[in-house]
C-alpha cells in the first residue's frame, strides 16, 4: 500500500492522506492534484512523520489524481514553510501558497499568445480605440493584461485584432534567460571593499550557513562588495536571491547588475505579467535562473540550487508583511539561508537595532565599510530650528532652506526635499462649518491629491472627487487644505523658483518599474532640478549632481510614539541625507525641526550614530522590548463593532497568567475602523526565553468565535495601529 500525506491548499483542512495509484511516482515535495469531495485541489506531498495524520483506513483512501509537471519542492523550502507556519502562527497551507505563486507555472511549460501593436494606422477610429492605441505603445501581453493597461474592454482589443492593428505573438514560457558572466566587468575594489568581498567569496565557496551584516555608510559601495559574492556563486553554478524593499528600486539595481554581469537578472515582483511570472517561477525551480532580484515574495521561490541570499537595505520596514501571513522577510531570509546551508548578507547603512545586536552577540559576522567610495565625503548636516526660522504663513520651507534651494538652482545642481506624506494635504475641512472629510470605511482622514483630483483614503483606497460644495452645510467653494503633502511642497518650490523643473516622486507617481526607470533617467540626465519625495526616494538612488537634501519635517515620524519611532526617524533621515554629495561635489543637508535637542536630531547633526544606538539599545533593554524581550499582537476584527469588542474581551479574559508574560489590552486599535471592520488589539510582552508561540496557540485554541470575527496574530509586530 502506497500511502502519502499531503498538505492541501485549503487552510480549513488539515493534511490529508491519499493512495498513490499504480504507475504514479511521487516523493516528498511533489506537487499533486488531490480529489476532495467532487472537486480537485492542489497539494504537496509531505514527509508523513512531520505532519499530523488522518485516521482513514488504507482501504478507504482515494487515489491522487495526478502529479503536476514541475520539480518537487526542495526539502529546505519545506523546512522553511514549516518554520514560518510555526513561528508566525500561520496555517501551513497559507505559507505554502506563497511558494506556489504562479498557478500557470504548475501546469507546465508551453506557449502563451500575447499581442502587440502592428504599427498600422487605422482608417477610422473610435475614442476607445484611439485610447488603446495610444496606451499600448511598446506594450505586449495577453488580451486581458492589455485591456487593463489600455483601460478598455477585451472586446475593443478583439476588434483591434480583427482590424489588423494588434498582432499575435507566440511566447515560449520556458525560453531560457541570458546567463550572467561573473567576469564581465570586474571592478577595481577599494581596500575596504576588497576585504568585504573576500569574506563573501570565501563564504559562498564554503557553501554553509553564514550570516553577515554589511554595515557601510551611504555611498560606500556595498553593492559592488556583495556583487563579488554573487560572482562567486555564478562561477560555482549556484543561484542567488537578492531581496530589495521596493519595486521602484529594482530598476536601478537591474541596470547596475547588467553593467557588472553583462545581462540583467531575473526580476520577481507583483507587477510581472502572468507569462513572466510563469517563466521566472519555472526557471527558478529548474535551476536555470541564475540571479533573481525581487520583493519579499521572492523569498518563497523554489530555488533548486541556492548559493547566496542578499537582503539589501535590510533595515527597511517594508520587509515586514502586515496582512495574510505576517512575516518579516529579513528574518525569514536568514532562516532560509540556514535551511539551505548558504551565506546571507544583510546590507544597510542604518542597520536595525535587532541586527546590530545579533552582530554584537556574535551570531552575525559584521563587515564595515566606514568611508564613501572614491573619496566622496559624507554631507554636512545642519539643523534648522523652525521655532526661530519660521516659514512664511501657509508655507513649509524656512528661509535657510529656501536660500539653499535658490543657490543650487543658480549653480545648476540638484536638490531633494523629503516629506513622508503623499498627496497635497493630509486633511481637508470646510471653512464654513468645520466639516472634516473622513473615510466611510476607516477611521482616517481623506487625503487630497491635486494631481489626480481626488480625495483618497490611504488605507482602503476609497476615493471621491473633491465636491464643489460642503456635503454638510452646502456652502460652495469652502474647502481648505490643512497641512502639507509632497504635492503642496512641490507647489511651494514652483512659487519660490518658477524656473525650476520639479518632480514629485511617490508611490502615486512611480507606479511601475518603467515609470521608475523614466524618473532615474531624467534625474541622471539633469532634467530635474528639485525632487520632492516620500520615503521612496530616501534610498538606493545615486545622482552625482544632487548636492542639497532638505528634510521638511523631521518631527513627523516621532509623533506616532511606537518603540521604533526614533530609530525609524534616524534611519530615514540618515538614508535621505546619504543621497547628497555622492559625486565630486560635497553635499549639504538641512533638517527642519521644532525639537533640535531631541537625541535623534542631535545624533543626526553630529553624525554620532553609535551614541544614539547605544541609548536606544538601553531603552529597549529596560522596556523588555525586542531584541531583549519579545512582543506579539493579537488583532481582532469584525464588521460588527459589538462582536469585535466581545471577542477581544473573551481573549483578554482567557489570557494566561504567567510571571514572564504581560498582556496589555484589549483596547480599540488606533485605526479602530479599517476597510469596514472594527478592530481591537491586545499586546503581549514576554521574556526572550518564553515559548511565546506555544502560549498563544494554546490560549487561542481554547476559544471559539462567531463566523464574522477574524483573529490575527502578529509575532514581532512593527505596526501598532
Ligand atoms: P551604497 O549602496 O553603499 O550606498 P553604492 O553601492 O551605491 O553605495 O556605491 C556608490 C557609488 O560608487 C556607485 O555609483 C557605485 O557605482 C560607485 N562605486 C562603488 N564601488 C565602486 C568600485 N569599486 N568601482 C567603481 N565604482 C564604484
Ligand atoms: Zn478607508
Amino acid at each position: 500500500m502506497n500511502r502519502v500525506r499531503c498538505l492541501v491548499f485549503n487552510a480549513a483542512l488539515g493534511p490529508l492522506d491519499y493512495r498513490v495509484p499504480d504507475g504514479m511516482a511521487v516523493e516528498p515535495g511533489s506537487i499533486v492534484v488531490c480529489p476532495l469531495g467532487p472537486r480537485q485541489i492542489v497539494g504537496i506531498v509531505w514527509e508523513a512523520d512531520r505532519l499530523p495524520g488522518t485516521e482513514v483506513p488504507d482501504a478507504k483512501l482515494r487515489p491522487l489524481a495526478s502529479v503536476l509537471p514541475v520539480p518537487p519542492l526542495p526539502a529546505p523550502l519545506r523546512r522553511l514553510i514549516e518554520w514560518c507556519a510555526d513561528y508566525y502562527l500561520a496555517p501551513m497551507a497559507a505559507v505554502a501558497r506563497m511558494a506556489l505563486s504562479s498557478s500557470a507555472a504548475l501546469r507546465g511549460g508551453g506557449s502563451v499568445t500575447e499581442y502587440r501593436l502592428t504599427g498600422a494606422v487605422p482608417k477610422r477610429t473610435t475614442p476607445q480605440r484611439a485610447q488603446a492605441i495610444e496606451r499600448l505603445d511598446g506594450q505586449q501581453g495577453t488580451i486581458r493584461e492589455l485591456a487593463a493597461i489600455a483601460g478598455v474592454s477585451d472586446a475593443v482589443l478583439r476588434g483591434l485584432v480583427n482590424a489588423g492593428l494588434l498582432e499575435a505573438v507566440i511566447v515560449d514560457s520556458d525560453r531560457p534567460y541570458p546567463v550572467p558572466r561573473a567576469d564581465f566587468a570586474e571592478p577595481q575594489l577599494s581596500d575596504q571593499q576588497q576585504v568585504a568581498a573576500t569574506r563573501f567569496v570565501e563564504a559562498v565557496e564554503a557553501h554553509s550557513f553564514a550570516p553577515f551584516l554589511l554595515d557601510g555608510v551611504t555611498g560606500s559601495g556595498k553593492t559592488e562588495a556583495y556583487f563579488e559574492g554573487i560572482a562567486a556563486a555564478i562561477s560555482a553554478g549556484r543561484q542567488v536571491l537578492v531581496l530589495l524593499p521596493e519595486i521602484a528600486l529594482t530598476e536601478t539595481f537591474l541596470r547596475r547588475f547588467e553593467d557588472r554581469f553583462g545581462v540583467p537578472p531575473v526580476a520577481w515582483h507583483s507587477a510581472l505579467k502572468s507569462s513572466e511570472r510563469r517563466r521566472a517561477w519555472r526557471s527558478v525551480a529548474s535551476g536555470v535562473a541564475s540571479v533573481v532580484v525581487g520583493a519579499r515574495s521572492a523569498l518563497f521561490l523554489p530555488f533548486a540550487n541556492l548559493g547566496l541570499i542578499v537582503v539589501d537595505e535590510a533595515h527597511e520596514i517594508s520587509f515586514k508583511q502586515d496582512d495574510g501571513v505576517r512575516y518579516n522577510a529579513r528574518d525569514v531570509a536568514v532562516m532560509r539561508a540556514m535551511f539551505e546551508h548558504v551565506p546571507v548578507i544583510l546590507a544597510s547603512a542604518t542597520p536595525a537595532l535587532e541586527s546590530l545586536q545579533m552582530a554584537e552577540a556574535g551570531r552575525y559576522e559584521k563587515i564595515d565599510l566606514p568611508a564613501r567610495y572614491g573619496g566622496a565625503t559624507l554631507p554636512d548636516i545642519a539643523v534648522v530650528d523652525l521655532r526661530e526660522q519660521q516659514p512664511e504663513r501657509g508655507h513649509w520651507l524656512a528661509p535657510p532652506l529656501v536660500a539653499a534651494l535658490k543657490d543650487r538652482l543658480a549653480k545648476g545642481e540638484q536638490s531633494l526635499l523629503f516629506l513622508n506624506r503623499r498627496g497635497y494635504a493630509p486633511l481637508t475641512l470646510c471653512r464654513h462649518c468645520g466639516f472634516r472629510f473622513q473615510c466611510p470605511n476607516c477611521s482616517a482622514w481623506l487625503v487630497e491629491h491635486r494631481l489626480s483630483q481626488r480625495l483618497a483614503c490611504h488605507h482602503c483606497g476609497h476615493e471621491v472627487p473633491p465636491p464643489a460644495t460642503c456635503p454638510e452645510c452646502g456652502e460652495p467653494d469652502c474647502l481648505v487644505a490643512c497641512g502639507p503633502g509632497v504635492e503642496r511642497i512641490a507647489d511651494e518650490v514652483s512659487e519660490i523658483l518658477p524656473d525650476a523643473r520639479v518632480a514629485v516622486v511617490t508611490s502615486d507617481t512611480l507606479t511601475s518599474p518603467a515609470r521608475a526607470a523614466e524618473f532615474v533617467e531624467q534625474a541622471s540626465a539633469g532634467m530635474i532640478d528639485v525632487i520632492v519625495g516620500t520615503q521612496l526616494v530616501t534610498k538606493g538612488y545615486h545622482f552625482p549632481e544632487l548636492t542639497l537634501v532638505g528634510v521638511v519635517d523631521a518631527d513627523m515620524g516621532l509623533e506616532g510614539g511606537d518603540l521604533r519611532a526614533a530609530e525609524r526617524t534616524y534611519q530615514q533621515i540618515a538614508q535621505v541625507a546619504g543621497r547628497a554629495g555622492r559625486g565630486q561635489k560635497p553635499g549639504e543637508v538641512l533638517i527642519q525641526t521644532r525639537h533640535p535637542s531631541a537625541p535623534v536630531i542631535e545624533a543626526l547633526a553630529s553624525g554620532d550614530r553609535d551614541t544614539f544606538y547605544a541609548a536606544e539599545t538601553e531603552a529597549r533593554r529596560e522596556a523588555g522590548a525586542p531584541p531583549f524581550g519579545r512582543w506579539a499582537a493579537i488583532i481582532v476584527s469584525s464588521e460588527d463593532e459589538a462582536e469585535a469588542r466581545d471577542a477581544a474581551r473573551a481573549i483578554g479574559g482567557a489570557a494566561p497568567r504567567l510571571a514572564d508574560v504581560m498582556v496589555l489590552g484589549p483596547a480599540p486599535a488606533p485605526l479602530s475602523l479599517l476597510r469596514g471592520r472594527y478592530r481591537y488589539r491586545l499586546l503581549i510582552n514576554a521574556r526572550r526565553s518564553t515559548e511565546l508561540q506555544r502560549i498563544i496557540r494554546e490560549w487561542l485554541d481554547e476559544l471559539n468565535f462567531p463566523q464574522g470575527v477574524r483573529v490575527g496574530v502578529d509575532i514581532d509586530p512593527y505596526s501598532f495601529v
Side-chain angles (χ1 to χ4, degrees):
M1 172 67 197
N2 201 351
R3 180 177 181 130
V4 287
R5 191 148 297 161
C6 292
L7 175 67
V8 293
F9 280 7
N10 179 328
L13 292 173
L16 298 176
D17 288 0
Y18 288 91
R19 181 164 59 80
V20 183
D22 288 344
M24 182 188 283
V26 298
E27 59 182 289
S30 290
I31 302 171
V32 291
V33 178
C34 307
L36 185 72
R39 293 183 303 130
Q40 298 206 316
I41 60 174
V42 172
I44 305 171
V45 176
W46 218 266
E47 290 89 338
D49 54 353
R50 302 187 73 98
L51 295 180
T54 55
E55 305 289 307
V56 183
D58 281 2
K60 290 209 163 167
L61 287 183
R62 297 182 69 182
L64 288 174
S66 59
V67 187
L68 293 175
V70 282
L73 280 198
L77 181 52
R78 297 201 300 277
R79 301 294 83 82
L80 187 79
I81 291 170
E82 289 166 359
W83 181 86
C84 281
D86 194 53
Y87 187 87
Y88 293 111
L89 294 174
M92 246 176 92
V95 183
R97 197 183 291 277
M98 299 194 289
L100 304 194
S101 41
S102 162
S103 49
L106 303 180
R107 291 196 300 268
S111 50
V112 196
T113 307
E114 295 187 335
Y115 294 84
R116 64 176 177 217
L117 291 175
T118 54
V121 183
K123 287 192 211 66
R124 36 175 209 97
T125 182
T126 63
Q128 292 230 304
R129 282 188 174 196
Q131 174 177 326
I133 289 168
E134 188 196 319
R135 295 199 188 163
L136 293 183
D137 187 26
Q139 304 280 357
Q140 179 174 318
T142 59
I143 290 286
R144 192 194 291 173
E145 284 157 357
L146 294 185
I149 296 169
V152 300
S153 70
D154 291 11
V156 172
L157 296 188
R158 301 253 172 237
L160 290 177
V161 176
N162 291 336
L165 297 169
L166 275 181
E167 64 183 352
V169 190
I170 307 298
V171 178
D172 172 7
S173 58
D174 277 350
R175 67 197 184 285
Y177 290 94
V179 182
R181 280 179 41 198
D183 61 355
F184 181 76
E186 289 174 333
Q188 276 293 336
L189 296 180
S190 70
D191 291 350
Q192 282 178 4
Q193 283 176 319
Q194 191 57 58
V195 172
T198 303
R199 280 300 295 128
F200 299 151
V201 170
E202 285 168 359
V204 168
E205 286 171 352
H207 201 1
S208 58
F209 177 55
F212 291 97
L213 177 59
L214 175 57
D215 182 2
V217 297
T218 54
S220 57
K222 294 185 284 298
T223 316
E224 269 73 13
Y226 72 66
F227 270 0
E228 295 316 293
I230 296 180
I234 294 172
S235 301
R238 292 201 199 96
Q239 296 171 291
V240 179
L241 167 63
V242 181
L243 290 180
L244 298 178
E246 336 237 355
I247 305 184
L249 285 178
T250 320
E251 216 45 46
T252 324
F253 182 88
L254 298 183
R255 198 167 307 189
R256 286 180 70 173
F257 188 92
E258 190 168 352
D259 289 346
R260 170 66 182 82
F261 296 107
V263 302
V266 178
W268 179 268
H269 50 69
S270 56
L272 288 188
K273 296 188 292 185
S274 70
S275 62
E276 293 167 333
R277 281 182 98 71
R278 178 187 196 170
R279 180 182 177 205
W281 195 95
R282 289 185 59 80
S283 70
V284 168
S286 66
V288 170
S290 171
V291 180
V292 177
V293 55
R296 60 184 180 227
S297 60
L299 193 48
F300 293 93
L301 285 170
F303 288 93
N305 180 19
L306 201 57
L308 170 69
I309 302 177
V310 177
V311 185
D312 206 348
E313 311 288 355
H315 62 280
E316 274 295 317
I317 59 168
S318 49
F319 283 121
K320 176 72 166 69
Q321 173 152 306
D322 275 331
D323 49 16
V325 179
R326 297 183 165 89
Y327 68 94
N328 187 326
R330 178 198 66 206
D331 299 341
V332 178
V334 175
M335 292 311 295
R336 179 144 197 192
M338 199 187 86
F339 290 126
E340 301 270 1
H341 306 292
V342 300
V344 54
I345 302 169
L346 308 182
S348 175
T350 53
L353 223 143
E354 283 86 345
S355 304
L356 281 172
Q357 193 59 34
M358 291 296 272
E360 203 136 287
R363 312 264 296 270
Y364 294 175
E365 179 175 339
K366 190 160 174 291
I367 297 200
D368 295 316
L369 294 179
R372 280 191 158 176
Y373 176 77
T377 50
L378 283 166
D380 271 334
I381 302 186
V383 169
V384 177
D385 186 344
L386 287 175
R387 295 165 311 179
E388 285 163 13
Q389 305 269 2
Q390 289 176 1
E392 276 176 52
R393 248 190 89 106
H395 290 67
W396 283 272
L397 305 178
L401 188 48
V402 171
L405 284 167
K406 286 185 176 157
D407 173 63
R408 294 315 130 123
L409 185 66
K411 289 191 192 141
E413 296 171 10
Q414 283 173 328
S415 305
L416 165 63
L417 295 176
F418 167 61
L419 177 69
N420 206 15
R421 211 184 252 151
R422 291 156 52 206
Y424 184 84
L427 171 66
T428 303
L429 48 78
C430 169
R431 182 185 351 243
H432 191 66
C433 73
F435 175 79
R436 296 166 167 216
F437 283 83
Q438 200 176 353
C439 176
N441 315 316
C442 306
S443 38
W445 307 126
L446 293 182
V447 178
E448 182 183 359
H449 287 251
R450 279 212 182 155
L451 294 177
S452 56
Q453 300 195 344
R454 62 202 167 103
L455 296 171
C457 172
H458 285 179
H459 297 287
C460 72
H462 171 85
E463 48 181 67
V464 290
T469 59
C470 172
E472 187 73 10
C473 68
E475 187 80 4
D477 292 328
C478 62
L479 305 185
V480 270
C482 298
V486 281
E487 291 178 10
R488 197 169 197 177
I489 299 299
D491 276 6
E492 187 172 334
V493 172
S494 297
E495 194 181 305
I496 305 165
L497 308 170
D499 297 332
R501 295 160 299 176
V502 184
V504 173
V505 180
T506 72
S507 55
D508 301 299
T509 59
L510 296 198
T511 47
S512 65
R515 288 288 198 86
E518 209 175 298
F519 160 66
V520 170
E521 204 154 293
Q522 290 189 346
S524 305
M527 288 157 69
I528 301 172
D529 300 309
V530 184
I531 301 165
V532 185
T534 56
Q535 51 79 28
L536 209 58
V537 289
T538 57
K539 55 202 162 252
Y541 294 113
H542 180 79
F543 301 129
E545 290 302 311
L546 203 160
T547 57
L548 172 69
V549 165
V551 177
V552 176
D553 183 354
D555 308 330
M556 209 169 84
L558 291 169
E559 284 159 11
D562 79 56
L563 98 144
R564 292 189 180 84
E567 181 192 358
R568 208 173 291 165
T569 297
Y570 183 88
Q571 289 166 337
Q572 262 181 358
I573 297 181
Q575 289 286 343
V576 73
R579 297 313 110 203
R582 293 169 72 96
Q584 302 299 318
K585 300 167 194 148
E588 179 187 10
V589 179
L590 293 176
I591 302 176
Q592 299 197 137
T593 174
R594 288 195 166 68
H595 305 288
S597 55
V600 50
I601 305 293
E602 285 190 336
L604 284 161
S606 61
D608 186 0
R609 186 181 94 174
D610 292 349
T611 306
F612 173 71
Y613 270 67
E616 281 292 298
T617 306
E618 263 333 287
R620 295 256 195 114
R621 198 191 301 273
E622 262 166 41
F628 305 102
R630 308 195 53 198
W631 275 2
I634 301 179
I635 304 116
V636 185
S637 72
S638 165
E639 287 176 15
D640 183 274
E641 153 102 83
E643 200 175 73
R645 187 176 51 229
D646 292 347
R649 282 191 187 149
I651 294 173
R657 288 173 221 293
L658 298 169
D660 46 8
V661 177
M662 186 165 63
V663 179
L664 307 167
L671 203 54
S672 59
L673 180 66
L674 178 65
R675 293 185 200 97
R677 302 180 68 85
Y678 293 89
R679 302 167 76 243
Y680 282 77
R681 292 182 64 102
L682 295 97
L683 194 60
I684 301 128
N685 184 212
R687 209 167 292 155
R688 225 192 126 75
S689 55
T690 49
E691 287 183 81
L692 190 55
Q693 281 85 346
R694 186 180 55 78
I695 294 168
I696 296 175
R697 199 177 288 121
E698 287 171 5
W699 169 13
L700 295 180
D701 275 354
E702 293 296 303
L703 302 168
N704 285 305
F705 304 103
Q707 274 248 304
V709 171
R710 256 185 243 153
V711 177
V713 180
D714 193 354
I715 301 287
D716 310 332
Y718 270 58
S719 159
F720 294 84
V721 300

